[in-house]
Amino acid sequence: MKKNCITIVLLTSINDAISFNWSNINNKPSLAAKKSISITGSPHIYRIAQSRLFLETEDRKTEIGEEAAKALASVGWAPPTNDEDLTSDDPFVKRINDEIMRDMGVELDELLNPATVVNLERELYNLRSELASITGKELDFDVSGLSTQECDGGEISEDADSLRKLIEKKEKKLSVERRSVFRGWLKNLFLGQAILSVGLSFVMTTDPSPLFSGIPGYQDLQLEQPIRVLGFWWWWLFIVPSLRSRRPLGLEKKALDIAFLGTPVISLLSPVFTKDPFLIWVANFAVVAGCYGYSYLVAGNDDDNNNDGNNTPEW
């Protein structure tokens, strides 16, 4: 503030000096007065003073923007302009969840691709902010909750037109993703697929001939053993992924995450101890069941005792 006052006083002094010197010129000033005019009344001084005033004003605007950002951050809100992961407790994600609940009647994690929706919303936030800045909106213009039309200052330029087209493309994709709800029947379909896969893999590891003997070359190529091996790998290839595709939450999700890592390890190491595919299938079954037991009985109790409000995305 002091700098602005000093600059204004400087400009006033320059104007007074110029007025005084020009009045002396009209009255045939002395040589000293002429030298004073050539120095004090130079247009360069105007430009320097005006540049200083402009820079100080811009610095002040930047300071105000930084203070506003700090104030927002202090109450738990910050614009999603970085590439950090957003959690389900982030205010930006909560706002998206509220909008989807209002428009679609479902939660964010009930969409088919919730992470894609959040990423598209973040990209649109940044693009709208950029559009606002290059089309004449004020420096600290906040685009949160605003449409593209409200963020557009209306100025015409090649960069602005490119941004408008990109935003329109992103908005169309977001509209499709927001309507893609993960319905209950789809979860049941994945569950049924997992149950059928368990039965099929059991038959494959015990006696695959009733199902596969009709394949040309089954006997000549001796496909029985490869099919039996494929049977115990079915746990990692189809059964566990089908259960995970239902998008379970909490303890079941933790159990299936561990099982997805444990079943390939068992399938790779078990042949060292046994060559019977059925026994390896049973070992995979035991691993999956053990993961559920560990998650619900051990890890579940630990989570209850050590609930620290971890803000990890549920999707």
Side-chain angles (χ1 to χ4, degrees):
M1 191 67 182
K2 290 180 179 180
K3 292 181 178 179
N4 290 340
C5 293
I6 292 171
T7 305
I8 294 171
V9 171
L10 176 61
L11 288 173
T12 304
S13 301
I14 292 170
N15 286 330
D16 292 342
I18 292 171
S19 299
F20 173 76
N21 287 321
W22 277 109
S23 65
N24 288 338
I25 290 173
N26 294 330
N27 296 319
K28 297 182 179 180
S30 63
L31 180 60
K34 292 181 178 179
K35 290 182 178 178
S36 176
I37 293 170
S38 63
I39 297 173
T40 309
S42 173
H44 295 291
I45 296 179
Y46 276 114
R47 287 195 288 268
I48 293 171
Q50 290 173 349
S51 298
R52 286 187 59 188
L53 180 59
F54 174 78
L55 292 174
E56 289 170 3
T57 304
E58 292 298 315
D59 290 342
R60 183 55 184 159
K61 286 183 180 180
T62 303
E63 290 177 5
I64 293 173
E66 291 176 353
E67 291 173 1
K70 290 179 181 178
L72 290 171
S74 66
V75 296
W77 193 95
T81 53
N82 51 43
D83 294 329
E84 296 179 0
D85 292 335
L86 296 175
T87 68
S88 57
D89 289 335
D90 191 285
F92 183 74
V93 178
K94 286 184 176 180
R95 181 179 63 79
I96 297 173
N97 185 72
D98 293 341
E99 291 176 356
I100 293 174
M101 176 62 74
R102 182 192 65 215
D103 298 338
M104 307 300 299
V106 297
E107 299 280 348
L108 173 62
D109 57 7
E110 295 181 65
L111 297 181
L112 197 60
N113 298 302
T116 301
V117 172
V118 173
N119 289 332
L120 284 171
E121 289 280 9
R122 173 162 41 187
E123 291 175 10
L124 283 171
Y125 179 95
N126 296 333
L127 290 172
R128 286 167 181 160
S129 297
E130 185 178 354
L131 179 64
S133 66
I134 68 173
T135 56
K137 292 290 186 179
E138 54 267 25
L139 183 64
D140 55 348
F141 185 78
D142 184 12
V143 302
S144 300
L146 301 180
S147 65
T148 302
Q149 289 73 19
E150 294 171 318
C151 301
D152 194 340
E155 292 188 6
I156 306 299
S157 67
E158 185 177 348
D159 292 339
D161 290 339
S162 298
L163 268 179
R164 292 184 184 105
K165 291 178 182 179
L166 181 58
I167 290 173
E168 183 180 1
K169 180 180 178 181
K170 296 283 185 182
E171 286 177 338
K172 289 180 180 179
K173 184 177 180 181
L174 177 62
S175 178
V176 173
E177 292 293 345
R178 287 173 68 122
R179 292 196 300 268
S180 302
V181 180
F182 196 72
R183 302 295 182 183
W185 65 265
L186 188 56
K187 295 182 180 181
N188 294 333
L189 178 64
F190 285 127
L191 179 61
Q193 178 178 299
I195 294 173
L196 290 176
S197 295
V198 170
L200 177 61
S201 64
F202 177 82
V203 174
M204 290 170 66
T205 53
T206 53
D207 185 14
S209 57
L211 293 177
F212 300 98
S213 59
I215 296 177
Y218 176 78
Q219 297 294 339
D220 297 337
L221 299 176
Q222 299 180 347
L223 296 179
E224 179 178 350
Q225 190 63 19
I227 292 175
R228 295 185 67 191
V229 170
L230 182 62
F232 64 75
W233 274 104
W234 219 253
W235 282 97
W236 183 66
L237 293 173
F238 293 102
I239 299 173
V240 174
S242 295
L243 294 173
R244 295 178 81 224
S245 296
R246 295 163 44 246
R247 272 213 233 123
L249 302 175
L251 299 177
E252 185 179 3
K253 179 179 184 300
K254 182 180 293 185
L256 291 172
D257 287 344
I258 299 172
F260 187 72
L261 298 175
T263 48
V265 173
I266 292 299
S267 297
L268 288 171
L269 296 181
S270 294
V272 176
F273 306 97
T274 179
K275 305 298 182 184
D276 188 347
F278 176 70
L279 292 179
I280 301 176
W281 184 93
V282 172
N284 277 277
F285 173 81
V287 167
V288 174
C291 289
Y292 270 93
Y294 169 79
S295 180
Y296 280 91
L297 300 178
V298 179
N301 293 333
D302 291 342
D303 290 342
D304 292 338
N305 296 331
N306 302 312
N307 186 12
D308 56 357
N310 185 25
N311 297 329
T312 54
E314 294 182 350
W315 29 263

